[in-house]
Amino acid sequence: MPSLTVIYPGSFDPPTNGHLDLISRGSRLVNHLIVAILQNSQKEPLFTTEERTAMLKEITAHLPNVEIDSFNGLLVDYAARRNVNTILRGIRAVSDYETELQMALLNRRLRPETETVFLTAAAEHSFVSSRMVKEIITLGGDVASVVPEAVAQRLRSKFPPAKR
Ligand code: PNS
């Protein structure tokens, strides 16, 4: 069987249990999985690239074939630089499908060798998003059940109860 490397791109601001589940399940299907953090998102990120890298390294430390990297600019250009043709993305609900289809088709138009493969989110994480996690923590809620403990700790120190 040929060796398969995939890129799992995203903002990961912050990484959630849903991301970690997808990384663990994806890593069992491939030889090498590169988690690629988008640096220059239009949205002002809550965590710096360095912080997101550190969190992702910590929560995937038990997965030997997972690498954490970051990129700027177009995903297809990054994939070309890494010599990888396969992108991995997760789909939580039908609402994700439209955006994901558009991204997959655009990426293939930009670089025809690009293939996008999808894993469906585990049911227990299908309602979790980084955006909601940020909203919950800034409004004083508890995020312990939706993000890994290392991420929850960083969120708590960024938003101590007095700042919420
Ligand atoms: O976690 P997200 O925010 O859903 O991830 C989106 C991401 C980072 C995969 C996407 O925005 C992306 O690839 N951005 C890089 C710029 C790019 O290549 N845009 C064209 C793709 S349609």
Side-chain angles (χ1 to χ4, degrees), residues 7-10 22 87-91 100 103 116-119:
I7 291 174
Y8 176 41
L22 211 91
I87 307 294
L88 172 69
R89 290 285 289 172
I91 291 205
E100 294 300 330
M103 268 198 319
T116 304
V117 297
F118 298 102
L119 282 180

Side-chain angles (χ1 to χ4, degrees), residues 9-12 38 43 71 73-76 89 103 106-107 110:
S11 307
F12 306 106
L38 176 67
K43 322 162 235 173
F71 72 104
L74 284 178
L75 175 61
V76 288
R89 290 285 289 172
M103 268 198 319
L106 270 171
N107 283 333
L110 292 170

Side-chain angles (χ1 to χ4, degrees), residues 10-11 23 25 31 38-39 55 57 60-61 64-65 77 82 84 93 100 131 133 141 143 146 148 158-159 162-163:
S11 307
I23 294 168
R25 285 165 48 223
N31 301 85
L38 176 67
Q39 293 170 14
M55 284 187 281
K57 280 192 173 161
T60 61
N65 63 338
D77 290 341
R82 295 297 313 254
V84 173
E100 294 300 330
R131 191 169 64 81
V133 168
V143 292
V146 287
K158 223 177 237 303
F159 296 99
K163 276 180 88 180

Side-chain angles (χ1 to χ4, degrees), residues 122-133:
E124 63 268 37
H125 305 306
S126 60
F127 54 90
V128 179
S129 71
S130 298
R131 191 169 64 81
M132 291 298 178
V133 168

Side-chain angles (χ1 to χ4, degrees), residues 5 11 18 22 25 29 44 48 68-69 71 81-82 86 95 117 127-129 133 138-139 147 149:
T5 296
S11 307
L22 211 91
R25 285 165 48 223
L29 303 174
E44 181 65 29
T48 63
I68 311 300
D69 195 10
F71 72 104
R81 284 198 298 281
R82 295 297 313 254
T86 312
S95 48
V117 297
F127 54 90
V128 179
S129 71
V133 168
T138 52
L139 297 174
V147 296
E149 184 47 31

Side-chain angles (χ1 to χ4, degrees), residues 40-99:
N40 63 345
S41 163
Q42 280 131 355
K43 322 162 235 173
E44 181 65 29
L46 180 61
F47 288 102
T48 63
T49 306
E50 291 70 30
E51 287 173 316
R52 286 178 276 160
T53 303
M55 284 187 281
L56 280 160
K57 280 192 173 161
E58 190 173 342
I59 64 179
T60 61
H62 60 295
L63 301 168
N65 63 338
V66 171
E67 174 190 340
I68 311 300
D69 195 10
S70 61
F71 72 104
N72 253 323
L74 284 178
L75 175 61
V76 288
D77 290 341
Y78 170 73
R81 284 198 298 281
R82 295 297 313 254
N83 205 17
V84 173
N85 294 338
T86 312
I87 307 294
L88 172 69
R89 290 285 289 172
I91 291 205
R92 288 167 299 190
V94 177
S95 48
D96 281 344
Y97 178 73
E98 222 170 306
T99 327

